[in-house]
Amino acid sequence: MPAGTRIGVLTGGGDCPGLNAVLRAVTRKGIAVHGHEIVGFRSGWRGPMDGLTMPLGLEQVEDVLARGGTILGSSRTNPYQEQDGVERIKRTLAEHGVDALIAIGGEDTLGVAERLNQDGVPVVGVPKTIDNDLDATDYTFGFDTAVHIATEAIDRLRTTAESHHRALVVEVMGRHAGWIALHSGLAGGANVILGPEKRFSVDQVCEWVQQRFERQYAPIIVVAEGAVPQDGEEVLLTGETDAFGHVRLGGVGTWLADELARRTGKESRAVVLGHTQRGGTPTAYDRVLATRFGLHAVDAVSEGAFGKMVALRGTDIVRVPLGEATAKLKTVPLSRYAEAEVLFG
């Protein structure tokens, strides 16, 4: 696209460390190299629907590299569930002279981007999810930071668990994929790691816990929020759903801690890390990956490569179809859990 093109950029879905690094890279290269003007849309897809904008110039992105969250704000808005949502987006883009969009988000945000691109809105996607469950990219930024935060929490919890001779269940994020649970559990030396990909046996978990106590050590159990026991007992669900139909999860960590206490007679506590994993300063790895994604995304727009998402393959940034990236979730292979099980108990 020629110099002087106006490019809109938005951040959708859950926030995570590294979003501002993408915005900084898009803005700096978009202006300095391609001569574009960058327009920020606030609050995810709500921004282009309702005309919520802010300028994104060199001044606005000067000191944002190390900041967590997103200076644009975010939301889980789904324009395809809103009255005239798509037409409102098209109208807003026309009114503001925006020629193309860069959408930064996970499966839901990029799923909307794919549909909008098919409906005639030029879009390039940037993958973002701390769960690392987007297909077609080896890693997403935010994941490394979330793993570091969870690992530090496990390290801190181990000392208090040992002091009080109790089992501690650490619940981490991961609705459909257990990447955070697996990586933080391995890095933190957890005695049990449970993910959504494989239903777990509470009796087996109790056996691992008892083995740990028998050696005079306190067990640490890391469980992803989407993990489910195999004996038919479902985790509690709140019944509330978001704009994309996801049911809010209700606390498998607390449920499991209560079960362990009841079945083993040992004192157990649950710690839910929740949104702690989303906040704070991004790691160096996430800053670099997010920056590279932003640089390549604005190049893709300049070259008219719409309907694509920038992705990490090995050490290279490549372009893949948005449809390929959102067709399925990238879950943890069961073989990875099998590798870790030799360390349990």
Side-chain angles (χ1 to χ4, degrees), residues 289-307:
L289 180 58
T291 296
R292 295 184 70 199
F293 278 158
L295 295 174
H296 282 262
V298 76
D299 285 345
V301 171
S302 297
E303 296 169 18
F306 301 117

Side-chain angles (χ1 to χ4, degrees), residues 77-98:
T77 303
N78 183 353
Y80 285 92
Q81 295 296 320
E82 301 276 344
Q83 184 174 1
D84 299 323
V86 175
E87 293 307 314
R88 288 157 61 188
I89 288 176
K90 291 181 177 180
R91 187 162 54 246
T92 295
L93 298 182
E95 289 174 353
H96 289 82
V98 173

Side-chain angles (χ1 to χ4, degrees), residues 308-328:
K308 303 289 186 179
M309 181 190 83
V310 292
L312 179 69
R313 294 281 177 84
T315 58
D316 297 326
I317 305 296
V318 300
R319 298 171 188 170
V320 299
L322 276 168
E324 177 183 338
T326 57
K328 64 178 182 178

Side-chain angles (χ1 to χ4, degrees), residues 71-126:
I71 59 174
L72 292 181
S74 189
S75 73
R76 296 191 182 278
T77 303
N78 183 353
Y80 285 92
Q81 295 296 320
E82 301 276 344
Q83 184 174 1
D84 299 323
V86 175
E87 293 307 314
R88 288 157 61 188
I89 288 176
K90 291 181 177 180
R91 187 162 54 246
T92 295
L93 298 182
E95 289 174 353
H96 289 82
V98 173
D99 303 293
L101 281 175
I102 294 176
I104 311 166
E107 56 167 323
D108 295 325
T109 300
L110 297 184
V112 169
E114 162 68 2
R115 292 183 65 179
L116 282 174
N117 190 74
Q118 294 175 351
D119 288 337
V121 178
V123 184
V124 167
V126 175

